[in-house]
Every structure is written in structure tokens, then in C-alpha cells.
Amino acid sequence: MPVTAAATGIDALDTVVSAETPEGIMIELRPAGLMVRFYAFSIDMLIRMMVLSVAAGVTEPMQGVGMAILLIMMFAFEWLYPVLFELSSWAATPGKRMFGLTTVMDNGLPITPAASFTRNLLRVADFMPMAYGFAVVSMLTRRDFKRLGDIAAAT
């Protein structure tokens, strides 16, 4: 008698999510898990920290004006870095690209500007109570590994 996936519990580990495109084509998407997202986020954080470190060195002699420029850069990097890369033709930040991840809508289509802004604005909620606690709980309790921002943006 053949062993079925249901009998072994293997299907519980399968993370394939089926989606139907507007053209009626069924596609299979594999959501990224917690660890690969952590690694991609870490790479992106290192990139941002290196750029801001160089900017800090360049703007330090400017004193007050330099600090203002640095603070504006920090804001832009925190809020616009992921959005700009997700809306590019790569549909991924450099960290995500390094691990072969892309950000798409639930139906497999490219991410929209509104969805990208939504999912990245909700990173603040995902970060609560500390160190992306809500995001981790959300990803580990959902079959499709979505964090709060992904749920709200349908990505």
C-alpha cells in the first residue's frame, strides 16, 4: 500500500500557494520563510548601515547642517529603500535578490506602488513589541508566512 502525503504529514510542510492570474492561469507561488527573510533583511540592513556610515563621515565636518542631512538620509533609507527596490524591475531589495526572492501581489502579478507603501509602512507594527515580534508570530502561524504588512497589502 503506497504511503500518502496526508498519512505522513508532509503536506503540512508544503508551502506552495496556488493563485489564479486575471487571465485564468493557475500558478504556484512559494512564500519565503522566516530564516531566508531574516538573512535578506540582514544584508539590506548592512547595506544601509554602510551607506549611512560613509554619509556620516562626509557630513560630520558640516556640523548642524551635516546632522540634518544625515537625519534626512536615515529617514529616506528606512522608509523609501524597500519601496524603491520593490517597485524596480527586480521587484526586490539587494538582500532579497541575493536569495532569489521577489515581492509580488497575492495573484503573482508585480507589486503595485500602493501595496509596496502599505507593506513597508506596516513594518512599524510588525516590529512591535520588539525585534519584529508580531511579524515572527504572524509568519509562524500562517501557512503562507505572511507578516502583518503582507496581509494588509495582499502581497
Side-chain angles (χ1 to χ4, degrees):
M1 181 171 153
V3 177
T4 63
T8 61
I10 294 174
D11 61 339
L13 298 175
D14 189 13
T15 59
V16 173
V17 177
S18 296
E20 185 175 353
T21 65
E23 295 81 15
I25 300 169
M26 290 298 292
I27 59 172
E28 291 182 342
L29 303 171
R30 293 195 182 273
L34 181 62
M35 288 312 296
V36 72
R37 283 181 177 211
F38 171 76
Y39 294 143
F41 179 80
S42 297
I43 297 294
D44 289 328
M45 182 63 75
L46 284 172
I47 291 170
R48 292 192 309 231
M49 287 174 63
M50 288 189 311
V51 170
L52 288 173
S53 294
V54 170
V58 170
T59 59
E60 183 190 6
M62 297 182 219
Q63 296 175 349
V65 174
M67 180 57 78
I69 292 170
L70 187 62
L71 289 172
I72 291 169
M73 285 184 68
M74 289 172 70
F75 176 84
F77 266 74
E78 184 62 33
W79 293 104
L80 300 178
Y81 174 90
V83 173
L84 293 175
F85 279 109
E86 287 174 357
L87 295 177
S88 71
S89 60
W90 300 312
T93 61
K96 288 179 185 173
R97 284 185 55 211
M98 192 175 278
F99 291 97
L101 305 176
T102 56
T103 305
V104 295
M105 299 299 293
D106 280 344
N107 58 5
L109 293 174
I111 191 168
T112 63
S116 183
F117 278 108
T118 301
R119 73 184 299 273
N120 286 296
L121 283 175
L122 282 172
R123 281 188 304 126
V124 173
D126 283 328
F127 187 78
M128 300 296 174
M130 63 180 204
Y132 286 94
F134 285 156
V136 170
V137 170
S138 176
M139 284 190 282
L140 292 177
T141 58
R142 293 181 55 92
R143 181 178 172 92
D144 55 4
F145 297 110
K146 287 186 173 190
R147 60 180 182 82
L148 301 176
D150 293 322
I151 295 167
T155 57

